[in-house]
């Protein structure tokens, strides 16, 4: 470990634009050692991915790159693309964020792995390369690798595609493995499998890993060392314990404070970082975080602070010390310590336990009083009641004369109610039926393939005519996952928010109402004539929320409303949802794959598997005392932003994918993946095979039901 396998010094990357030169990366330095994992974190636009692409030589020709990237004693900056092709895939492997885009759709996965092998080993025969490809697929946990090697990317699930990408990345035993947001679009159970697989790949190859992510929980569980980036530069570096337990940069403290945690009861609102990251065009010589920093002083606007060891006295940044710190922030490696704990902040020496002079850097915001405080759940109005909801899709066969050969049971007999001022969250893996449930409720049971009853505000709506159903829609509105895709880019904010007002015949002053709604969701009313493209992701989601509130609904349906946002922006939106619920008495039906967000915002939760609820109840009951094996597996897979907790956790890794939703035979649908099933006797397994477990409570006095024969 005396010599790094990868050394990056003063890496700078800029791009030309109509507005001026964009300095995407402004002086990144680090060393990566064999067998260690370096986590690079920060908001979107901080330069994380551009740094990795510069190391890989994958930036476009118009990118201006300076600095040094040395791999095994060989300088990579300035190499031609042809020469970098000899390095990529052989010495440096990369796991991309979107596995479907990273794989060629017209070739089977075995052929693509063979190509990766033969590109760097001209002597290997196709037969030997194919055998190695099958071996790699087996190594990354692809079942039946001999037959699955001949399958195409679209025939795999998202998690399985990511496994194939990992197999390609480690095919030639690279020295460096770069993982760029490798788990962002995956369920928590699949995410746990992929992170375990990356760790296994590191053990197999001995590679140093660069983990690029915005998920601080993933960093806590995987990284040895951490670089926190902001506006293209490292603003804090150190070991994972130093960054999480002793942060000395306000930006790092803000990131950690904005994260919802599944292992703690929600008592206070999250602490968001106000504002947005700066545009790095002709950037002035000031601290890039000064506009968002709650403890900024005049010295912050005099010069951009250098990255200095945190134990140096405030103001001791002499010219020589600044030069040494910039050259890099890397300490002498003694086998364990790689980075000196450094921060780019003039007040770093004043910060202790995330405070200055005993005062929190980021004060916890206050929420309004609950309009329904003190009213028991059973005394609140039922705003939504769903009974025995079933949604099937016809399974067709035949190219010319199509005939129905079966049904896909997307939602298979679920029942629940939602009370005023309450948030009910539906959680589960992709394909479990969560979003279909929301869409069926928004459709108010109008589809002929839907059965069951849906009551909104006490009115059963599935039998209403089209006109009455339209009027009922005023009471239930929806906020979508992708804020940009949900807003018409050709309409102004005024037009977008006033659309439902015109649709339902609003008789007041439309502009005044739009301004009221913008103010309610934290947008400046003077921005009323701007287009969606002029807003950040969090602001666009606020526009969507204002549009949903325009009709004074009782219920807002939220489909992954914060999954596309940075954690700092996400915290502000979550706090806004909490505030609106308390102030207006709104009820939320919430779907998200992030169980930490669910734990923070929900009052009750329903865990869904293959179209059915397997566990429901009050949020703390389910999270603290999970009964169903599936719920336990989900919760064990949630990353916790605490290195000590992550080091001592034992995860339940689910094997395999969801069974086919076309099978509605009796029996427990989870038994093929259930860890408990493997420990049962033959007689007990027979019960699981033949009898569908009912959703029932062990104690009728507690709001907690589960569907398992033996939990």
């Amino acid at each position: 470990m005396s010599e790094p396998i990868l050394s990056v010094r003063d890496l700078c990357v800029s791009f030309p634009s109509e507005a001026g030169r964009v300095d995407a990366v402004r002086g990144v330095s680090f060393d990566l050692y064999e067998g260690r994992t370096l986590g690079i974190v920060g908001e979107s636009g901080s330069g994380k991915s551009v740094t990795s692409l510069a190391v890989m030589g994958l930036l476009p020709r118009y990118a201006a790159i300076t600095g040094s990237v040395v791999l095994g004693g060989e300088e990579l900056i300035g190499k031609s693309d042809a020469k970098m092709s000899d390095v990529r895939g052989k010495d440096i492997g990369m796991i991309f964020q979107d596995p479907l885009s990273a794989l060629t759709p017209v070739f089977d996965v075995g052929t693509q792995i063979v190509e990766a092998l033969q590109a760097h080993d001209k002597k290997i025969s196709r037969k030997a390369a194919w055998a190695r490809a099958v071996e790699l697929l087996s190594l990354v946990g692809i079942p039946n690798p001999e037959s699955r090697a001949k399958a195409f990317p679209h025939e795999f699930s998202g998690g399985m595609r990511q496994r194939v990408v990992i197999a390609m990345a480690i095919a030639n035993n690279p020295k460096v493995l770069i993982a760029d947001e490798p788990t962002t679009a995956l369920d928590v159970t699949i995410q746990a499998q992929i992170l375990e697989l990356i760790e296994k790949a590191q053990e197999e190859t001995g590679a140093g890993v660069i983990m690029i992510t915005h998920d601080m929980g993933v960093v806590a569980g995987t990284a040895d060392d951490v670089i926190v980036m902001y506006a293209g530069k490292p603003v804090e570096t150190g070991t994972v314990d130093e960054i999480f337990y002793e942060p000395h940069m306000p930006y790092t403290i803000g990131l950690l404070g904005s994260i919802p945690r599944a292992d703690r009861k929600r008592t206070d609102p999250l602490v968001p970082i106000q504002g947005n990251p700066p545009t790095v065009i002709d950037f002035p010589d000031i601290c890039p975080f000064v506009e968002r920093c709650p403890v900024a002083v005049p010295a912050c606007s005099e010069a951009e602070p250098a990255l200095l060891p945190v134990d140096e006295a405030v103001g001791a940044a002499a010219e020589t010390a600044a030069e040494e710190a910039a050259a890099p922030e890397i300490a002498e490696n003694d086998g364990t310590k790689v980075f000196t704990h450094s921060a780019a902040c003039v007040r770093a020496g004043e910060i202790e336990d995330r405070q200055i002079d005993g005062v929190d850097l980021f004060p916890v915001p206050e929420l309004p009083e609950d309009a329904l405080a003190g009213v028991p759940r059973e005394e609140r109005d039922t705003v939504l009641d769903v009974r025995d909801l079933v949604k099937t899709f016809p399974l067709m066969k035949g190219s010319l004369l199509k005939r129905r050969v079966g049904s896909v049971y997307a939602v298979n007999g679920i029942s629940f109610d939602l009370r005023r001022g309450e948030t009910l969250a539906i959680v589960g893996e992709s394909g479990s039926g969560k979003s279909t449930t929301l869409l069926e409720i928004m459709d108010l049971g109008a589809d002929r393939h839907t059965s069951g009853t849906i009551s909104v505000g006490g009115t059963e709506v599935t039998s209403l005519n089209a006109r009455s159903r339209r009027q009922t829609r005023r009471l239930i509105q929806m906020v979508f996952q992708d804020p940009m895709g949900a807003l018409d880019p050709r309409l102004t904010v005024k037009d977008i928010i006033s659309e439902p007002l015109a649709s339902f015949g609003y008789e007041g002053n439309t502009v005044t109402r739009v301004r009221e709604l913008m103010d309610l969701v934290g947008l400046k009313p003077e921005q009323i004539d701007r287009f969606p493209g002029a807003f950040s992701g969090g602001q666009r989601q606020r526009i969507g929320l204002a549009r949903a509130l325009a009709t004074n609904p009782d219920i807002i349906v939220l489909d992954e409303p914060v999954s596309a946002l940075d954690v700092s922006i996400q915290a502000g939106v979550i706090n806004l949802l909490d505030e609106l619920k308390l102030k207006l008495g709104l009820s939320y039906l919430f779907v998200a794959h992030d169980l930490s967000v669910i734990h923070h915002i929900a009052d009750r939760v329903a865990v869904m598997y293959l179209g059915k609820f397997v566990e429901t109840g009050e949020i703390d009951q389910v999270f603290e005392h999970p009964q169903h094996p599936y719920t336990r597996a989900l919760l064990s897979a949630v990353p916790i932003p605490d290195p000590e907790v992550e080091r001592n956790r034992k995860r339940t890794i689910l094997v395999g994918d969801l069974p086919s939703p076309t099978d509605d035979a009796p029996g427990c649908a989870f038994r093929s993946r259930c860890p408990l099933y493997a420990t049962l006797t033959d007689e007990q397994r027979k019960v699981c095979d033949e009898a569908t477990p009912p959703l029932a409570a062990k104690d009728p006095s507690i709001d907690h039901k589960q569907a398992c024969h033996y939990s």
Side-chain angles (χ1 to χ4, degrees):
M1 285 195 54
S2 59
E3 292 296 326
I5 52 177
L6 179 71
S7 288
V8 176
R9 293 291 182 273
D10 198 26
L11 180 65
C12 298
V13 180
S14 61
F15 302 95
S17 75
E18 294 180 359
R21 189 184 69 187
V22 179
D23 296 312
V25 176
R26 302 183 303 119
V28 173
S29 299
F30 63 84
D31 279 341
L32 181 67
Y33 289 83
E34 182 179 334
R36 293 184 72 86
T37 298
L38 170 65
I40 303 180
V41 300
E43 294 172 285
S44 298
S46 62
K48 308 185 302 295
S49 294
V50 175
T51 298
S52 68
L53 293 174
V55 171
M56 290 286 289
L58 291 175
L59 291 173
R61 292 182 179 178
Y62 55 79
I65 307 171
T66 61
S68 172
V69 176
V70 177
L71 176 69
E74 186 178 6
E75 177 62 59
L76 301 185
I77 299 296
K79 277 184 176 291
S80 66
D81 188 62
K83 290 184 177 179
M84 280 301 299
S85 295
D86 294 333
V87 176
R88 289 192 294 261
K90 181 177 182 293
D91 296 318
I92 306 178
M94 189 158 187
I95 304 167
F96 293 93
Q97 180 175 350
D98 181 6
L100 189 59
S101 299
L103 297 170
T104 306
V106 295
F107 293 110
D108 59 63
V109 298
T111 299
Q112 296 186 56
I113 298 175
V114 167
E115 182 184 25
L117 289 164
Q118 291 185 322
H120 298 287
D121 186 353
K122 305 300 182 184
K123 297 180 180 179
I124 190 171
S125 66
R126 180 170 178 81
K127 182 178 180 180
W130 187 268
R132 174 63 175 157
V134 171
E135 180 186 348
L136 285 164
L137 290 177
S138 177
L139 181 66
V140 299
I142 300 289
N144 304 315
E146 294 84 359
S147 58
R148 296 294 276 167
K150 300 175 183 177
F152 290 86
H154 71 272
E155 298 179 276
F156 290 82
S157 65
M160 287 297 175
R161 283 196 289 265
Q162 195 64 290
R163 288 170 182 267
V164 173
V165 171
I166 293 173
M168 293 176 65
I170 67 173
N172 294 289
N173 297 319
K175 301 173 185 175
V176 177
L177 193 59
I178 300 175
D180 187 3
E181 301 275 10
T183 62
T184 296
L186 304 178
D187 296 311
V188 287
T189 52
I190 308 301
Q191 173 178 275
Q193 295 175 22
I194 296 302
L195 293 176
E196 185 183 56
L197 182 57
I198 292 174
E199 184 179 350
K200 182 179 179 182
Q202 185 177 28
E203 292 174 358
E204 289 283 333
T205 62
V209 173
I210 299 176
M211 177 68 70
I212 297 170
T213 180
H214 67 274
D215 191 328
M216 299 297 280
V218 170
V219 173
T222 61
D224 299 300
D225 312 292
V226 180
I227 294 177
V228 181
M229 289 189 67
Y230 186 77
K233 291 194 76 170
V235 293
E236 187 160 10
T237 65
T239 65
V240 66
D241 287 349
E242 289 170 338
I243 296 298
F244 278 81
Y245 299 139
E246 303 173 26
H248 279 265
M249 168 65 189
Y251 177 62
T252 308
I253 295 170
L255 281 181
L256 293 170
S258 63
I259 306 169
R261 293 183 58 156
D263 62 333
R264 292 181 182 173
K265 288 186 178 180
R266 59 184 188 113
T267 52
D268 295 319
L270 300 173
V271 184
I273 303 175
Q274 302 299 330
N276 297 294
T279 303
V280 282
I281 299 176
D282 299 325
F283 199 76
D285 187 21
I286 62 173
C287 174
F289 192 59
V290 64
E291 296 294 333
R292 306 172 72 189
C293 183
V295 293
V297 293
C300 302
S301 299
E302 294 175 1
E304 185 167 6
L307 194 67
L308 297 171
V310 297
D311 57 359
E312 286 193 7
V314 178
E319 185 176 348
T320 55
E323 290 174 356
E324 290 173 1
E329 70 281 358
I330 299 149
E332 189 90 8
N333 182 41
D334 61 4
T336 56
K337 183 76 172 176
V338 175
F339 285 90
T340 297
H341 187 193
S342 304
C345 178
V346 298
R347 305 194 70 182
E350 301 176 59
I351 297 173
E352 184 176 354
D353 196 23
R354 309 188 191 195
Q355 297 178 331
I356 292 181
D357 296 330
V359 179
D360 290 337
L361 267 68
F362 291 84
V364 178
E366 293 185 5
L367 291 176
E369 291 186 10
D370 188 352
L372 295 172
V375 181
R377 182 177 189 272
E378 57 271 14
E379 295 180 15
R380 299 188 184 190
D381 296 337
T382 300
V383 294
L384 176 67
D385 189 75
V386 176
R387 295 292 147 203
D388 301 317
L389 182 65
V390 176
K391 168 65 178 179
T392 61
F393 294 94
L395 186 63
M396 311 301 289
K397 188 175 181 180
S399 55
L400 295 176
L401 298 175
K402 292 188 179 296
R403 65 189 187 279
R404 182 169 183 164
V405 295
S407 298
V408 176
Y409 293 88
V411 181
N412 197 3
I414 63 171
S415 299
F416 63 90
D417 65 342
L418 179 66
R419 302 298 177 101
R420 188 172 299 282
E422 177 180 77
T423 299
L424 171 65
I426 303 177
V427 302
E429 296 171 286
S430 298
S432 61
K434 307 183 304 295
S435 293
T436 303
T437 299
L438 298 191
L439 294 175
E440 286 309 299
I441 291 169
M442 290 303 299
D443 197 38
L444 302 179
D447 194 285
R448 64 187 179 90
H449 295 295
T450 302
S451 63
T453 62
I454 300 173
S455 298
V456 177
T459 302
E460 205 283 308
V461 298
T462 52
S463 58
L464 294 179
N465 59 36
R467 182 174 181 179
S468 299
R469 186 177 287 111
R470 175 179 169 80
Q471 290 303 313
T472 304
R473 291 188 194 283
R474 184 188 65 78
L475 301 176
I476 181 167
Q477 293 293 306
M478 190 166 186
V479 176
F480 297 91
Q481 178 176 357
D482 179 8
M484 193 59 187
L487 304 176
D488 191 330
R490 300 166 297 179
L491 299 181
T492 63
V493 173
K494 181 182 73 175
D495 295 332
I496 290 169
I497 298 177
S498 64
E499 208 171 18
L501 296 174
S503 180
F504 288 102
Y506 181 73
E507 296 180 355
N509 187 304
T510 300
V511 175
T512 300
R513 176 61 176 157
V514 170
R515 288 180 176 272
E516 290 175 355
L517 290 165
M518 291 181 68
D519 184 64
L520 184 64
V521 299
L523 293 170
K524 296 178 181 179
E526 54 265 29
Q527 298 173 323
I528 192 170
D529 291 320
R530 293 189 182 182
F531 292 89
F535 294 88
S536 67
Q539 289 173 319
R540 287 195 286 263
Q541 199 62 290
R542 290 171 184 260
I543 295 170
L545 188 55
R547 179 175 60 184
L549 291 169
T551 63
N552 291 322
D554 292 330
I555 309 159
I556 294 185
V557 174
L558 301 148
D559 187 8
E560 301 273 11
V562 296
S563 64
L565 307 177
D566 286 313
V567 288
S568 55
I569 308 300
Q570 171 183 281
V573 174
I574 291 173
N575 283 351
L576 175 62
L577 292 172
D578 275 333
E579 182 181 333
L580 293 173
K581 185 179 78 168
L582 297 175
K583 189 185 296 184
L584 305 177
L586 291 171
S587 300
Y588 297 141
L589 185 59
F590 196 101
V591 159
H593 72 273
D594 190 332
L595 293 179
S596 300
V597 171
I598 292 295
H599 186 241
H600 181 84
I601 201 170
D603 301 297
R604 301 179 69 248
V605 63
V607 182
M608 198 170 192
Y609 185 80
L610 214 65
K612 294 182 178 181
F613 289 160
V614 297
E615 189 160 1
T616 65
E618 193 270 332
I619 188 73
D620 287 335
Q621 277 289 330
V622 173
F623 270 67
E624 293 175 18
H625 310 287
Q627 300 295 314
H628 197 280
Y630 181 58
T631 309
R632 292 174 185 167
L634 286 179
L635 293 175
S636 78
V638 179
I640 303 297
D642 187 319
E644 188 64 30
V645 172
E646 284 292 301
R647 280 193 285 266
N648 296 305
R649 291 180 74 196
K650 184 177 180 181
R651 286 188 165 86
T652 302
I653 303 296
L654 295 180
V655 179
D657 294 323
L658 288 167
S660 171
T662 60
D663 183 9
D664 192 34
C668 175
F670 186 59
R671 65 187 186 276
S672 62
R673 305 172 71 197
C674 180
L676 180 61
Y677 182 82
T679 67
L680 300 177
T681 65
D682 291 341
E683 187 175 343
Q684 289 173 320
R685 291 184 184 183
K686 187 175 181 181
V687 175
C688 296
D689 294 339
E690 298 178 355
T692 302
L695 186 66
K698 289 183 177 180
D699 185 348
S701 65
I702 299 177
D703 181 15
H704 193 177
K705 298 179 180 179
Q706 58 93 19
C708 178
H709 293 299
Y710 299 108
S711 286

